[in-house]
Amino acid sequence: MAIEMTENSAALIDLDHLRRSCGSCALHELCLPAGINGSDLDQLDATVHDKRALDRGKALFRQGESFHALYVVRSGSLKSFVESPGGDLQVLGFHLPGEIVGVDGLTKDHHLCSAEALERTSICELPYLQLQQVTSEVPALQRQLMRVISREMVAEQSHMVMMGKQQAQERLAIFLHSLSDRYGRLSRDPTVLTLSMSRYDIANYLGLVVETVSRLFSRMEAAGVLKVNRKAVRVLRPDLLAEMCGTHVAASFRNAIG
Amino acid sequence: MAIEMTENSAALIDLDHLRRSCGSCALHELCLPAGINGSDLDQLDATVHDKRALDRGKALFRQGESFHALYVVRSGSLKSFVESPGGDLQVLGFHLPGEIVGVDGLTKDHHLCSAEALERTSICELPYLQLQQVTSEVPALQRQLMRVISREMVAEQSHMVMMGKQQAQERLAIFLHSLSDRYGRLSRDPTVLTLSMSRYDIANYLGLVVETVSRLFSRMEAAGVLKVNRKAVRVLRPDLLAEMCGTHVAASFRNAIG
DNA sequence: ACCGGCGATTGACCGAGATCAACTCGACGC
DNA sequence: GCGTCGAGTTGATCTCGGTCAATCGCCGGT
C-alpha cells in the first residue's frame, strides 16, 4: 500500500510529500484556504510539531491525561474508546489517515477517552496553544476548525442513530460502507478493505457481540456481497452492500454528512 | 414552577433578571470571564438578539435550513432529532434551560437536525457572525466556546455508549438520573421531574419502543424507586435510581462529564 | 356533559441477538 | 516440526425486548 511508506520517512519528509499528504487530511481545509501552500509549507511543517510513530497497541493518549494537542492520523489507524473502572470498555470510533482525534480533550483540559494504534501508525500533532494562535490570527481558520469539529460531532450523531434503530446486519453493512467511503477519499481502492481492528473491537463499536459479527461476515459472504479472509475483506457487490445499509435514518443521515 | 415566569417577560426583561438567568446558562462561562458583568449586561443584551418564544410543537430550526445562529434555551424545553425521507425519525437529545442547540449547523452552513419545542419555550439567539466577532476579539472566549461545543460532543459519546451496552432498565435509569442532575443545576428540585416529552420521544431517544418504556416506569414504580403520574415523575429513592444506572461505562462516563 | 381520539398501559407471544460451548485455524516460540 | 495460545468461526439454547392487540383514561371540542 502506497500510504504505508509515510511511516518511516517522517524525519526526512520533503515538502512535496507533505503537500500530498495534507491534501487528503481532515484539516487541509484548515490550511489551504488560508493561503498556506508552496513555500509556506515550511511554516506549516513547523506548526505541526511532532510526527510521532506508534506501534500497534501503543496509546496516543489515555483517558485522564492532560490535554495539550489535537492529532491527525498520517498513516495507519487508531481506535478511540472509554473504559470504566471495572475494566469494561466501549469503542467510540476508528480513525483513518487524515482524520482528527483528541477533540474530547477541549472540554476539561484532560482527555475523556483513550486513543490507541491498531497497527504501526504515524501522527501529526497540533499543539493547541499554537493552533489557537494561528486561528486567532486568521478568523477564517477558526471557522474551519469549527467545521472539522462539528463534522466529528455529526458523525457521532449518525453513529448514535445507528445504535438506536438499526438491525445487526445493517450495522455491519453501514460500518463497512463507511470504511469503504473513507478509503475512496484516501484514493485507496474502496473495495479492498484491511480491517486493522479485531472482531471484538468491531462488535463493541457496533453494540453487538463478537459471535454475531462473525456470523454476519459469514452470511454476507454466502450472499456474495463480500469475500472475507480474516482481516482482508473484499467488497464484491458494493451495490448490495449499500442496499443492506437500509433506507432508514442512519444511512441517509450518514450520506448527508459527506 | 419558578422558571416558567421568564416566558412572558422577555420584552421587558430587567438586567438583574438577565443576570440570574445567565448564571445557570451553558454559555455563562463564555460571558462572565470576559468581564461582562454589571453594567456591561446592556451590551450582552444587545448581542443576544432575538429572545423568541415558541409554542409546543413549533420548530426552532429544521433540518436543511440555513445556519446563522446558535441558540440557548431560556425556559421550557426542546427536542432535537433527524428525520429520514421515509418519515422515520430519531431523537438525538432533549434540551433544558441553559443548554445550547444548533452546533450541528457549523459544519455545512445548514442544519443537519431539527429542534422543536416540547412546551412553551423561550430562546436566546446568538447570531454566529456576531459571536464570531466577539470571540475573535477575546481569544479566551474562543476557547470557552470550544469547551461548550466539546461538552456537547462528549455528552453525545456518553449517549452512544449507553445505546451500545446498556440494558433497557439501565437506559431509562440513566435518562432519569441525567434529567435529575440537570434539574439540580437549575436549582430545581431534582426529585420532582416534569417530562415535557412524550413516552414515544423517550423510547425513541433510548433506542427502545414505547411499550418497553411504559413497562419500565411501572416496574420502577412497583420497586418503590419512582412515583409516576403521566408526565409527573417523583424520584422517591435517588439512591436506588443511581444504583440502577449500573456500574458500566455509560454511568461513570456520564458522571465524568458533569 | 358527552364523545372522540390519542397517548399510555398492560398482556400474550415471538424472534433477533446474547450466551454458553465446542471446535478450527494461523501465528509464534522452542 | 511440534505444541501452545489466542482470535475467529460455528452450533445449540435462552432471554430480553419487540410486535401485535386490547383496554384505559385524560384532554379537547362541540
Side-chain angles (χ1 to χ4, degrees), chain B residues 198-199 211 214-215 218:
Chain B
S198 70
R199 295 288 193 269
E211 293 95 326
S214 186
R215 270 184 258 273
S218 302

Side-chain angles (χ1 to χ4, degrees), chain A residues 151-164:
Chain A
R151 185 188 305 161
E152 284 295 298
M153 205 170 145
V154 172
E156 257 176 33
Q157 283 185 0
S158 141
H159 187 221
M160 205 163 87
V161 169
M162 189 189 73
M163 298 288 252

Side-chain angles (χ1 to χ4, degrees), chain B:
Chain B
M1 295 154 223
I3 202 80
E4 296 285 314
M5 71 185 193
T6 56
E7 287 175 4
N8 40 24
S9 58
L12 45 126
I13 199 162
D14 64 291
L15 291 182
D16 191 48
H17 180 194
L18 180 61
R19 182 170 204 179
R20 264 187 288 110
S21 185
C22 289
S24 63
C25 172
L27 292 181
H28 89 281
E29 302 165 295
L30 199 73
C31 305
L32 302 185
I36 296 181
N37 54 43
S39 56
D40 289 340
L41 277 170
D42 298 305
Q43 200 185 327
L44 173 63
D45 198 33
T47 307
V48 179
H49 243 233
D50 205 3
K51 290 160 213 85
R52 299 202 224 169
L54 295 172
D55 282 325
R56 171 182 166 78
K58 286 289 175 343
L60 176 59
F61 54 81
R62 291 231 163 265
Q63 202 168 343
E65 278 181 16
S66 70
F67 164 78
H68 69 281
L70 297 176
Y71 305 92
V72 178
V73 181
R74 183 176 285 274
S75 73
S77 52
L78 298 173
K79 68 173 174 183
S80 54
F81 57 96
V82 289
E83 34 195 344
S84 72
D88 201 14
L89 72 85
Q90 169 69 37
V91 174
L92 297 173
F94 303 108
H95 310 278
L96 299 188
E99 296 173 358
I100 193 169
V101 287
V103 181
D104 61 285
L106 288 166
T107 321
K108 283 181 180 293
D109 295 326
H110 59 83
H111 287 287
L112 293 167
C113 69
S114 305
E116 194 176 293
L118 292 167
E119 59 194 307
R120 188 164 172 77
T121 297
S122 67
I123 298 290
C124 286
E125 183 175 301
L126 297 96
Y128 188 63
L129 286 176
Q130 281 183 252
L131 189 63
Q132 213 172 11
Q133 177 76 15
V134 177
T135 55
S136 69
E137 282 168 9
V138 189
L141 284 190
Q142 184 189 335
R143 177 66 186 265
Q144 292 294 359
L145 182 59
M146 285 291 185
R147 278 177 198 270
V148 171
I149 290 167
S150 174
R151 185 188 304 161
E152 283 297 297
M153 205 168 145
V154 172
E156 258 175 32
Q157 282 185 359
S158 142
H159 187 220
M160 204 163 86
V161 169
M162 189 189 71
M163 299 287 252
K165 291 219 115 44
Q166 253 48 39
Q167 303 285 308
Q169 182 172 298
E170 289 170 327
R171 294 188 195 196
L172 186 59
I174 290 169
F175 166 69
L176 293 171
H177 191 261
S178 154
L179 219 53
S180 179
D181 253 22
R182 289 144 80 193
Y183 267 49
R185 245 170 267 162
L186 292 169
S187 307
R188 288 160 77 165
D189 184 343
T191 68
V192 180
L193 308 178
T194 306
L195 306 179
S196 55
M197 67 297 289
S198 70
R199 295 288 193 269
Y200 177 82
D201 285 335
I202 297 172
N204 188 294
Y205 173 70
L206 297 176
L208 302 170
V209 294
V210 63
E211 293 95 326
T212 302
V213 169
S214 186
R215 270 184 258 273
L216 287 172
F217 271 121
S218 302
R219 197 198 298 174
M220 286 169 79
E221 184 164 27
V225 179
L226 306 175
K227 181 78 190 70
V228 183
N229 190 316
R230 308 198 114 260
K231 295 191 171 306
V233 172
R234 173 175 276 275
V235 182
L236 301 175
R237 294 286 304 271
D239 55 329
L240 286 181
L241 182 62
E243 222 170 78
M244 290 169 83
C245 293
T247 51
H248 294 291
V249 273
S252 54
F253 192 58
R254 186 163 275 282
N255 288 342
I257 71 171

Side-chain angles (χ1 to χ4, degrees), chain A residues 198-199 211 214-215 218 231:
Chain A
S198 69
R199 295 288 193 270
E211 293 95 326
S214 185
R215 271 183 257 273
S218 303
K231 294 189 171 307

